Amino acid sequence: MTTSMLASGKANVYGGLKKLTVSQCGRVYSNSTTPPPPPPTANGKHAARADDAAKQRELVMNVLTANATKRDAKQYLARFEQSARTRAYLGPSNAAPKDDSHGSRHRNRQTEDHNGVNLGGLYTPARAIANTPQFTVQNAFREQQVQEPQQELHVALACLKAPEAIDDFTLDGLARTISQLVKLDMAMILVLDINPSNVQAEDHAEQLADTKTMRRVLAQQADRLCDAIDRHNPEGARSVPNALETYEDHWEQGIDTMELQVAMPNLIMDPLSRGMVPIVSPLAYNTSGQLVEVAAADIMAALTKYLTGKEKPVDPDAAHNYGDVSLDRIVVLDAVGGIPSKHRGHGAHVFINLDQEYDLVESELAEYAEEARQDETNSRGPAFYDQHRDNLELVRRCLHILPSSSSGLIVSPHEAASSSAATDAAPSPLGATGTRRQKNPLIHNLLTNKPVISSSLPAARLAPKEHDSDEGPLTEASTVLRKGMPLSVIPSVGRTRGWQKPSVGRTPLQLEKDPRVDLPRLVHLIENSFRRKLNVKHYLQRVNSHVAGIIVAGQYEGGAILTWEMPPGVNDPQRLVPYLDKFAVLQSSQGSSGVADIVFQAMVRSCFPNGVCWRSRTDNPVNKWYFERAAGSWQIPDSNWTMFWTGEGVIENEQKWNDYVAVCSSIQASWAPDGKKDD
C-alpha cells in the first residue's frame, strides 16, 4: 500500500516538523509576502499573543451573550467532572514517596538479639540479601493509583471554504473566534477547501487554473491562516500538508476506487493536544509517493473516522496515546451561509433533524436550483444551491459516523467572525431595534449545542433581514444539524393539509389497541417527564374516541398526544377544538438535544398547521418556552390555568375564542392522587 521510500520520506518530514517552534509553524511551504510575526520576547512567546484585558473582556461577553441556561451550563461543565473527581479521589500525582522508616527500624533491630545485646554481624543475614528490594502487590497498586488520568480532548472539525476570497478583517475575526473556542476547551482542526467550483472563488479562477498555481495558493492561504491565528492563540497554528495518503480499494464488483486515510496522525494530533490549530491542506500522497489534490469532503470523512477510532493509521508505530478524544462538532465555514428555505421567516433552516428532514431539504434545494436554472434573471445561479447541497451532504456524511450527541454547524465566516461588540440600531431576530450584543454562533453552539434562533419559534415573530434581492431565500442565518432521531406521526399526515376534523365527531384511534402505539413506553414517557404517576385507566377512558393522533420522537424520547375536544354543551363536529393534551420529553433528553423543538415543529407545521390550543399551570416554569412559541396566551379567570394557542384569527373569531376557553377550562386531569397540582 505504501512504498518504503514514501514511508521514509514521511518519517523525515515528520521528524523535521517536530523540531519546528511555534513561530515557525506557518512557514512549512510559504511563498507569502506577509511580514513575519513580532520577534519572541524573553519568555519565548510573541508579544502580540499576550492576553490583554480587551481580549479577555470580549471572551467573557461572548460567553454571556450566549444566554446559556442552567441546564446548558451543567451539560457543558460535565465534560470536566470526571477528571476533577478522579484527581480529588487519587490526590496529587507528584506526591513524594514516604520514607520507609518502619523497614529501616526493622533492619536495625535485626542486629540485636531478644535480650537487647548488640551481637554485631554474627547473626545478621548477608548484606546482599538484606539490601535486596522487596516488591509487594500493595506497593504496585499504590503506584498505579497515583497516576493522574488524561483529560478527554474535545475536538471540532471544521472545513473552511474558499479562504482566498475572505478579506483580512474577516479572517482576523475568524481567527479570534477560533482562539476563544480553544480557550473554552474546544480544540479545532481546520481543513482548507480551495476549489475553482466554489461560488465565491469566481474572482480567483485564474489563480486556480492549474496544479502549480493551486499549490502556491494553498501554501499562501495556509500561511495566512497561521499568521492570523498566531495573533490570538498563544499556542499558534501549524500547517499540515502531508498527513494523508490515498490507496486503492478493491470492490467485489472489480471496480477500483481511491480511498483516503490518515497515514501520519502525529502531524495532526501532536499540535492539537498542545492547544495548536492544525491546518490541513487538501493534499495527500498517492501510492507512488506523489502529493496530489483531494476533495476536502473526503478529508473531513477520513479525519472523522480516525478521530472516532473507526479507522486505524497505516503505520501502527505512528499511533500515539493521546487519551480519549471526543469529536463533538462538524463545522462548515462557507460564505453562502446556512441552508436556505423560502418557508422560514429568517430565510434559512436554523435546525435540521437529518433522520427526519434530509430528503425533504435535499429535494427543496434541488427545486431551488432548477428554478434558478430556468430563470436567467435570477442573481443566484444553480451553482449556489448545488453548493448548499454539497455542504448538507458533507455534514450528513460525517455525522453518520459520529454518535447522536454530536452536531454540525454550517455558518458563513462573516457570522463566525462576529464578536460581542455592541451593534447600534441593529434589528434583532424578533423585530426589535436598538443597541444589542451580537451573538457569535460558534461560541453559542459550543455552550448550548443549540442554534442561535430556536427552530420552533413561529415565523411571524422573526423579522426577515433586508436583502439585495427577493428572488431567493436569505442565507444569513446559520444552520445546526443533528444526526437526530426518527419521527413517527400516527396517523400519517400530509405536510400542509394536517389532521382533519372527524365528520362524525369521533376518531378510530385507541391508544391501548393500536399496534403502532407502545402504550407502556408512552406511559413511562409521560410519567418521567411530568414526574408523577398517571391514572392510566381514567386517562384512556377520557381520550379514547377523541385522539387526533400522537407524535413520537426517537424511541419514545419525546412525544405529544393531540385530541379533538368538543366544547361543553355543544354537539357539532365542525366546532371540534384541536387540543394538545400531553407534551412530554424524557428528563435525560431535555435541553440541548432538540427533542422538544422537533416534536413542536411537527405539531404546528404538519399536524395542526391551522392552529392548536393547550393549557398549563400559571406557575409552570415551562411557560416561558410556551410564551415564545405561542401566537397568544390568556390567563383563564378564577383558575390556575394559562391558555396558549397557535394560528391566526383566534381572538377575532368570538365563537372560536369561546370554544377554546371552554375546552381549556373543562378538561379533567388524569393523575394518580399525590397531592400535587394538576398539569
Side-chain angles (χ1 to χ4, degrees), residues 398-655:
C398 293
L399 289 182
H400 181 72
I401 305 171
L402 296 172
S404 58
S405 58
S406 301
S407 63
L409 177 66
I410 302 177
V411 62
S412 69
H414 176 76
E415 288 290 316
S418 64
S419 68
S420 61
T423 304
D424 293 333
S428 73
L430 297 180
T433 59
T435 301
R436 66 182 179 92
R437 294 282 178 180
Q438 186 174 1
K439 291 183 180 180
N440 186 297
L442 279 173
I443 294 179
H444 180 274
N445 181 256
L446 167 63
L447 298 177
T448 67
N449 205 9
K450 300 175 184 176
V452 174
I453 304 172
S454 175
S455 59
S456 59
L457 286 175
R461 299 194 63 191
L462 299 170
K465 297 182 180 181
E466 296 181 359
H467 202 270
D468 296 337
S469 173
D470 57 358
E471 297 172 351
L474 309 180
T475 56
E476 284 81 357
S478 57
T479 300
V480 172
L481 305 95
R482 298 184 71 93
K483 188 177 181 179
M485 56 192 66
L487 189 74
S488 302
V489 179
I490 305 171
S492 59
V493 62
R495 179 171 176 81
T496 58
R497 191 165 180 264
W499 288 324
Q500 300 299 303
K501 295 179 180 179
S503 58
V504 296
R506 301 174 66 87
T507 62
L509 181 59
Q510 294 187 354
L511 298 179
E512 74 276 20
K513 296 181 180 180
D514 196 300
R516 297 170 294 179
V517 180
D518 190 336
L519 184 60
R521 298 182 73 175
L522 182 61
V523 172
H524 170 73
L525 167 63
I526 295 172
E527 294 180 343
N528 179 273
S529 177
F530 286 87
R531 297 178 175 90
R532 60 190 309 185
K533 287 291 184 179
L534 181 70
N535 187 337
V536 179
K537 182 178 179 180
H538 179 272
Y539 182 72
L540 293 177
Q541 289 176 349
R542 180 173 68 81
V543 300
N544 275 343
S545 74
H546 298 289
V547 178
I550 68 171
I551 304 170
V552 178
Q555 301 299 319
Y556 286 82
E557 298 166 57
I561 301 176
L562 300 113
T563 60
W564 292 108
E565 299 292 342
M566 188 74 73
V570 177
N571 192 21
D572 182 3
Q574 295 302 315
R575 291 179 61 180
L576 285 171
V577 173
Y579 181 72
L580 171 60
D581 191 87
K582 287 288 183 288
F583 186 88
V585 178
L586 288 178
Q587 296 179 37
S588 59
S589 299
Q590 294 174 3
S592 61
S593 60
V595 176
D597 285 329
I598 292 172
V599 175
F600 196 88
Q601 282 187 77
M603 178 183 71
V604 299
R605 294 177 183 172
S606 300
C607 300
F608 285 143
N610 296 323
V612 62
C613 70
W614 68 96
R615 70 180 186 181
S616 175
R617 278 188 295 107
T618 302
D619 56 351
N620 189 343
V622 183
N623 286 351
K624 179 180 181 296
W625 196 83
Y626 289 151
F627 281 128
E628 294 173 345
R629 286 152 183 81
S633 63
W634 188 63
Q635 185 172 350
I636 301 176
D638 302 324
S639 73
N640 193 37
W641 297 112
T642 297
M643 181 180 74
F644 298 89
W645 68 88
T646 64
E648 300 177 355
V650 176
I651 299 177
E652 294 79 6
N653 189 326
E654 183 178 357
Q655 184 182 82

Side-chain angles (χ1 to χ4, degrees), residues 112-163:
E112 301 181 6
D113 65 359
H114 62 280
N115 292 323
V117 179
N118 189 349
L119 301 178
L122 183 61
Y123 295 106
T124 58
R127 179 175 298 178
I129 298 176
N131 293 337
T132 301
Q134 299 180 3
F135 300 95
T136 63
V137 176
Q138 291 83 355
N139 290 337
F141 179 72
R142 188 180 298 112
E143 290 293 332
Q144 185 179 6
Q145 265 193 328
V146 299
Q147 293 180 358
E148 184 174 345
Q150 290 181 314
Q151 183 174 315
E152 187 176 30
L153 182 63
H154 295 268
V155 180
L157 180 60
C159 178
L160 178 60
K161 294 202 169 187

Side-chain angles (χ1 to χ4, degrees), residues 139 328 334 389 584 648:
N139 290 337
D328 297 340
D334 193 342
R389 295 172 69 183
E648 300 177 355

Side-chain angles (χ1 to χ4, degrees), residues 51-66 76 176-186 232 234 418-421 437-438 440 442-444 446-447:
D51 287 336
D52 55 16
K55 289 184 179 180
Q56 292 292 342
R57 182 169 58 252
E58 183 178 5
L59 174 60
V60 171
M61 291 307 303
N62 275 333
V63 171
L64 293 178
T65 52
Y76 170 72
R176 180 179 60 245
T177 297
I178 291 174
S179 69
Q180 292 176 350
L181 291 174
V182 173
K183 290 179 181 178
L184 293 172
D185 193 49
M186 179 62 78
H232 300 282
S418 64
S419 68
S420 61
R437 294 282 178 180
Q438 186 174 1
N440 186 297
L442 279 173
I443 294 179
H444 180 274
L446 167 63
L447 298 177

Side-chain angles (χ1 to χ4, degrees), residues 21-280:
T21 63
V22 173
S23 61
Q24 296 169 320
C25 68
R27 312 295 175 262
V28 177
Y29 57 154
S30 171
N31 293 323
S32 174
T33 58
T34 305
T41 57
N43 61 0
K45 293 187 177 181
H46 296 164
R49 294 177 183 168
D51 287 336
D52 55 16
K55 289 184 179 180
Q56 292 292 342
R57 182 169 58 252
E58 183 178 5
L59 174 60
V60 171
M61 291 307 303
N62 275 333
V63 171
L64 293 178
T65 52
N67 292 334
T69 64
K70 184 177 181 180
R71 182 184 287 117
D72 295 332
K74 285 183 177 180
Q75 292 175 347
Y76 170 72
L77 295 174
R79 65 174 65 183
F80 306 104
E81 286 185 1
Q82 183 175 2
S83 58
R85 289 177 180 175
T86 307
R87 285 194 296 270
Y89 174 74
L90 297 180
S93 60
N94 57 352
K98 296 181 180 179
D99 293 335
D100 189 10
S101 56
H102 174 75
S104 61
R105 288 195 301 269
H106 176 71
R107 287 190 294 270
N108 291 336
R109 283 198 300 268
Q110 286 181 341
T111 62
E112 301 181 6
D113 65 359
H114 62 280
N115 292 323
V117 179
N118 189 349
L119 301 178
L122 183 61
Y123 295 106
T124 58
R127 179 175 298 178
I129 298 176
N131 293 337
T132 301
Q134 299 180 3
F135 300 95
T136 63
V137 176
Q138 291 83 355
N139 290 337
F141 179 72
R142 188 180 298 112
E143 290 293 332
Q144 185 179 6
Q145 265 193 328
V146 299
Q147 293 180 358
E148 184 174 345
Q150 290 181 314
Q151 183 174 315
E152 187 176 30
L153 182 63
H154 295 268
V155 180
L157 180 60
C159 178
L160 178 60
K161 294 202 169 187
E164 73 279 5
I166 302 176
D167 60 85
D168 292 339
F169 180 80
T170 301
L171 191 70
D172 185 77
L174 179 61
R176 180 179 60 245
T177 297
I178 291 174
S179 69
Q180 292 176 350
L181 291 174
V182 173
K183 290 179 181 178
L184 293 172
D185 193 49
M186 179 62 78
M188 177 77 75
I189 301 176
L190 269 180
V191 177
L192 300 185
D193 183 5
I194 299 180
N195 193 324
S197 63
N198 287 334
V199 174
Q200 58 271 40
E202 294 178 353
D203 297 336
H204 304 268
E206 295 181 358
Q207 302 178 15
L208 310 176
D210 55 71
T211 303
K212 185 176 180 180
T213 55
M214 173 76 78
R215 298 278 181 85
R216 183 169 63 251
V217 172
L218 280 173
Q220 291 173 350
Q221 295 306 318
D223 287 342
R224 186 168 168 243
L225 270 168
C226 278
D227 291 337
I229 295 174
D230 279 352
R231 290 192 291 269
H232 300 282
N233 183 25
E235 302 301 330
R238 171 181 289 181
S239 176
V240 183
N242 43 21
L244 308 169
E245 75 171 12
T246 61
Y247 65 95
E248 292 184 359
D249 186 18
H250 300 279
W251 288 10
E252 295 180 359
Q253 294 86 349
I255 302 176
D256 293 341
T257 59
M258 299 303 295
E259 295 292 331
L260 197 63
Q261 193 167 14
V262 182
M264 298 293 290
N266 301 333
L267 298 179
I268 298 174
M269 298 305 299
D270 277 348
L272 187 71
S273 61
R274 296 199 300 268
M276 300 178 71
V277 180
I279 300 175
V280 182

